[in-house]
Amino acid sequence: MNAPALLEQPVESLDAPSPAARRQWRPVLWTAPPVLIVLIIAVYPITRVLAESTVTPTGRGTAVWTEVLASEAFRNALWRTISIAVAATAGCLVLGTFLAVVLAFVPFRGATVVGRLVDTVLTLPSFLVTLAFTFLYGTAGAVNALITQLTGRQAPLLNFLTTPWGVIAAEITFFTPFVVRPLLAAFAQLPREQLDVAASLGASTWRVLRQVVLPEAWPALAAGGSLVLLLTLNEFGIVLFTGAKGVLTLPAMIYTRGIVTFDLPGAAVLATVQVALSLTLYAAYRTVFSRFVSRKGY
């Protein structure tokens, strides 16, 4: 190219990126906003809490961690949190499976209404369940009042709401729909031909349920149970309203340290442990679920 032709070439054509370069930058531009959002709403709070947990009166260090983790109150709260979450999850799995099987395979009038009521529970705040439990099973609730009238007892017969059993019962009531809904979706995709063939071969109802229905619904059951376990592990409203001062879990302990006593470093230590526990359970669930799916060939 001679000199006059080079001078006549537009300047913007020399600086403009090529189509290939634009295609390389396009994924980066699309990825940047969601990554930025995750950093702001997830990574930054966790990092900030972790940094706050190292604050000491003389600077930074691990003194607060040593004090909190060595306390008996922390160990009791940790054990109570895990035990309540596991017991509530087991109860939700049993009750949720029973309800899902009845709604899916046992025709009766009002099944649609019951299904809609199950969906409605998912939209309600957890404190409504605790209030209902108080009105029903509290020391001055309707059930105790009825028992008093029938038996003449002076002391209330039911007095379990401020114990771990009251929290477990309330959590089972509130979180069971999280198991029922995915199971119903899984049962709806189950080929009816399999059930008809099993029944025609003389298999009992229990055998069909155990060998045909539940194996197909296992992924949905595992997903619902894992979700309930994570939710109950981090539940605060039900514990606060139902257990009151009689049940101290990690979320309640975080609230007490951070809001009541203004011990922000201690609350940050507990919150970090809570987050680590939740992430560990989630990672374990993803590992087990992915291996199950790959083994089944889904």
Side-chain angles (χ1 to χ4, degrees):
M1 182 180 295
N2 54 27
L6 180 61
L7 294 175
E8 293 176 359
Q9 185 176 4
V11 177
E12 58 270 18
S13 65
L14 299 177
D15 298 333
S18 64
R22 287 197 296 267
R23 285 194 298 269
Q24 291 177 354
W25 277 100
R26 191 171 300 167
V28 177
L29 295 177
W30 279 104
T31 306
V35 171
L36 183 62
I37 292 174
V38 171
L39 290 176
I40 293 175
I41 68 175
V43 177
Y44 172 73
I46 294 176
T47 305
R48 186 70 180 85
V49 168
L50 183 60
E52 186 67 28
S53 68
T54 62
V55 174
T56 64
T58 59
R60 291 190 178 274
T62 59
V64 180
W65 280 84
T66 303
E67 182 266 328
V68 171
L69 298 184
S71 65
E72 185 179 358
F74 165 75
R75 292 192 296 269
N76 293 336
L78 178 62
W79 165 249
R80 186 160 291 168
T81 302
I82 296 175
S83 61
I84 288 177
V86 171
T89 301
C92 290
L93 289 175
V94 173
L95 182 59
T97 302
F98 172 76
L99 291 177
V101 169
V102 171
L103 291 174
F105 301 110
V106 181
F108 65 95
R109 283 189 174 183
T112 303
V113 176
V114 174
R116 294 294 181 267
L117 290 176
V118 170
D119 294 338
T120 303
V121 175
L122 296 175
T123 66
L124 299 177
S126 59
F127 71 85
L128 287 181
V129 175
T130 60
L131 287 178
F133 263 62
T134 302
F135 295 148
L136 287 174
Y137 308 115
T139 54
V143 176
N144 275 318
L146 179 60
I147 294 175
T148 300
Q149 290 181 357
L150 295 177
T151 63
R153 291 176 56 93
Q154 297 298 323
L157 180 63
L158 300 179
N159 189 18
F160 65 94
L161 287 185
T162 57
T163 69
W165 292 109
V167 176
I168 293 172
E171 290 186 351
I172 290 175
T173 303
F174 182 74
F175 290 112
T176 292
F178 290 89
V179 176
V180 174
R181 182 44 54 192
L183 279 178
L184 288 177
F187 291 157
Q189 299 177 359
L190 185 66
R192 296 291 172 171
E193 293 78 7
Q194 295 184 13
L195 303 179
D196 296 337
V197 170
S200 64
L201 294 176
S204 63
T205 303
W206 170 247
R207 187 174 182 181
V208 172
L209 179 64
R210 181 169 52 88
Q211 296 184 354
V212 179
V213 176
L214 291 183
E216 294 295 330
W218 165 247
L221 190 64
S226 301
L227 177 61
V228 170
L229 182 61
L230 288 174
L231 291 174
T232 54
L233 192 70
N234 297 285
E235 178 58 35
F236 173 69
I238 291 178
V239 176
L240 180 64
F241 276 82
T242 306
K245 296 182 180 180
V247 179
L248 184 63
T249 61
L250 279 182
M253 197 173 183
I254 294 171
Y255 172 81
T256 302
R257 285 233 179 185
I259 305 301
V260 178
T261 63
F262 298 101
D263 181 11
L264 295 183
V269 171
L270 296 172
T272 304
V273 173
Q274 184 80 27
V275 171
L277 187 59
S278 299
L279 292 178
T280 301
L281 287 176
Y282 178 74
Y285 157 70
R286 292 300 306 173
T287 301
V288 173
F289 187 73
S290 61
R291 290 181 179 179
F292 175 82
V293 172
S294 61
R295 186 166 58 248
K296 286 288 185 179
Y298 293 150

